[in-house]
Amino acid sequence: MYGAGLALIAAAAMVNGIDTVQLPAWRQAVFVVLALLAYLHGRRLDFRYGAPLLLAAAALTVPVMIVDRGNGVTAFLVLGAFVMLPWFGGRYRRQQVELLEAERERAARLEHERDLVAERAQALERARIAADLHDSVGHDLALIALRAGALELSPDLSEAGREAAAALRANAVEATDRLRQSLGMLREEAAPVAPVDEPVRDLVARSAEAGLEVRLEGGAEAFGPLVDRAVYRIVQEALTNAAKHAPGAAVAVLVEREVAEVLVRVSDSGGAAAPRLEPGGSGLAALAGRVRLLGGSFSAGRRGGGFAVEARIPLEGNR
């Protein structure tokens, strides 16, 4: 349809270009109308075969030149001046507008992507803060519950003091659960967490000072930021669970290098309840995902009369 309209404009220009010695005013106006129609055709209509069609129309003037050279040349010049040039001008203008629209769309898309990156950065920062709070505050709350439990068993404490210590321990446990539930809505599994400076040895010593019967086996040397962070989190989460679910149990922490991997094992002698594997992204389930991302293996469950958490983390590629 678009091609037929352009062909009609070209044919009308060629016919009107014959016998132009004395042109009446209406035929001169026809040239203006044809030029305007050709421009609008190129500007408004997306017809990809316009240039070949106009070249074919120009080729048709050759037989006319053979028969009548003057009219043939005139028809060719009229076609070029009043159809081809306006059509190509309209086509060029259309391409300019399309380029401008593409630039606007690209700028809008880049702005949208920039907003997404900013939102992602904010989400990662919230997740980092949530993870740090879970690691530090959650662990400290578990130690408070442990201290309260030890105080509750003190023979020198009055009945009122024992009830207060029991209430304090229950409140600390409830606060730990609420903290994990709240932070679970903020954190993301893939969120990067800034490495802590505290070594595992100090973490174990701090837990022992809080009343947890824990001992460290192995050198607990530095293995690199990624591995050190994973080792710290495994030990911290396991000690937190031991203090919460197995009060009074003896806990053994083993961090040992075995050829090309690091073995981390935290086991306790048993308690009232076993730690839960929480699928929501926190706790031991999150640690399992972290270890597997590093190419290692992770296991947690009942062992003997107690509970054990064990992970093997390869050193290659995780320095």
Side-chain angles (χ1 to χ4, degrees), residues 142-143 146-147 150 153 203-217 238-240 242-244 246-253 266-270 307:
L143 295 182
L146 180 64
R147 288 180 183 271
L153 299 176
L203 172 64
V204 173
R206 189 156 55 85
S207 300
E209 291 175 0
L212 184 65
E213 185 180 345
V214 56
R215 71 181 188 277
L216 176 64
E217 303 173 357
L239 293 180
T240 299
K244 179 180 178 181
V251 183
V253 177
V266 181
S267 57
D268 61 65
S269 59
F307 192 89

Side-chain angles (χ1 to χ4, degrees), residues 172-223:
V173 173
E174 292 176 1
T176 303
D177 291 337
R178 285 197 299 269
L179 176 67
R180 289 183 176 180
Q181 292 173 3
S182 300
L183 296 182
M185 296 184 295
L186 296 176
R187 66 185 304 178
E188 296 179 5
E189 185 67 24
V193 179
V196 296
D197 296 329
E198 183 183 35
V200 172
R201 189 179 305 277
D202 292 349
L203 172 64
V204 173
R206 189 156 55 85
S207 300
E209 291 175 0
L212 184 65
E213 185 180 345
V214 56
R215 71 181 188 277
L216 176 64
E217 303 173 357
E221 58 181 289
F223 305 105

Side-chain angles (χ1 to χ4, degrees), residues 91-197:
R91 186 70 174 177
Y92 176 74
R93 179 56 183 165
R94 177 185 177 85
Q95 292 176 348
Q96 277 188 322
V97 173
E98 290 177 349
L99 287 175
L100 290 175
E101 291 178 353
E103 286 295 328
R104 292 193 191 98
E105 292 177 358
R106 181 172 179 272
R109 186 170 60 254
L110 289 176
E111 184 176 357
H112 179 64
E113 292 176 355
R114 186 163 54 247
D115 293 340
L116 290 179
V117 169
E119 291 177 1
R120 177 63 176 172
Q122 293 174 358
L124 292 179
E125 180 63 16
R126 289 196 301 269
R128 185 191 66 79
I129 295 173
D132 285 345
L133 286 174
H134 174 269
D135 295 348
S136 57
V137 179
H139 182 71
D140 291 340
L141 285 174
L143 295 182
I144 292 173
L146 180 64
R147 288 180 183 271
L151 182 62
E152 184 181 358
L153 299 176
S154 175
D156 300 331
L157 198 65
S158 64
E159 187 64 27
R162 188 171 289 107
E163 291 178 359
L168 175 62
R169 179 174 57 82
N171 290 338
V173 173
E174 292 176 1
T176 303
D177 291 337
R178 285 197 299 269
L179 176 67
R180 289 183 176 180
Q181 292 173 3
S182 300
L183 296 182
M185 296 184 295
L186 296 176
R187 66 185 304 178
E188 296 179 5
E189 185 67 24
V193 179
V196 296
D197 296 329

